[in-house]
Amino acid sequence: MKKRYSAHWILLLAAFLGSPAAHAQPNPRLDPGFQRTELYRPALVSQVSQLASGARLVLDANYSLSRAEGQPANGLVRYTPTGALDAAFAAQVAGYGSWGPSLVAEQPDGKLLVAAFRLQAGGLTREGLVRLNADGSLDPTLNVPGGIVGVVSEMLVQPDGKVLLGGSVVRPGTTTPDALVRLNADGSLDTAFLTASGAGFSGGIVSLLVLQAAGNILAGADFPGVQGAPQRT
């Protein structure tokens, strides 16, 4: 399960980086064997995720994380399981200009899905949602026709590679935002999911998604109703 935390102070961030299970401990403390990060203030960390490899991702959705450990950064950095900055990953991402990453999720194959404003690399342009290879380079095989417009406040990668986007998302060819959409692994719209969910997810905002063991999806949201049923949250 994805682990994500909000932090306003670097000391608190270091505590989480040093102990992945710190939130479950009654008296969390810094791990003296874990190298502390040196993020440059006034960076505001908005997401910390632990990857399957044991590495950690640190994301700043406020366009303020420009350096880490003395090296150029660009909103998203990765630390090795020992706490050292992944310099090669940082250098790759630093070249993406004003791409504006706001949310990140790991796929089962280790690639990273990033909700971002716009990324241009290798002659390609991706808007709203990009996929990065393990080394931080752009994966050109993910292409959302027309891009993603609106606000992606939650993202969930399913075991089959399909991607759920929650928030206020405007699908290509429409003007009314949906609270929940699903994309196929190649970035195309999952029309079967859209048909099954009907128009009930229009006009609201999904802010939390959880995939249950049986494959059902729990959505925490604020919307008028779903398929004629009264409002639930």
Side-chain angles (χ1 to χ4, degrees), residues 68-118:
E69 311 294 342
Q71 297 192 32
N74 193 5
L76 179 66
V77 294
R78 184 170 65 195
Y79 287 86
T80 68
T82 62
L85 177 71
D86 187 331
F89 182 89
Q92 182 73 51
V93 175
Y96 290 152
S98 302
W99 69 312
S102 60
L103 197 63
V104 62
E106 184 182 25
Q107 293 187 164
D109 61 1
K111 294 184 178 182
L112 302 175
L113 283 172
V114 185
F117 173 63
R118 180 184 294 115

Side-chain angles (χ1 to χ4, degrees), residues 8 12 15 18 23 25 27 58 105 124 131 136 155 170 181 187 210 219 233:
H8 296 280
L12 180 58
H23 64 287
Q25 298 177 359
N27 297 301
V58 178
L124 301 175
R131 183 161 58 202
M155 183 163 50
V170 179
V181 299
V210 176
T233 57

Side-chain angles (χ1 to χ4, degrees), residues 36-47:
R36 298 184 182 181
T37 61
E38 294 291 342
L39 298 179
Y40 279 65
R41 294 182 179 178
L44 178 62
V45 174
S46 55
Q47 181 182 347

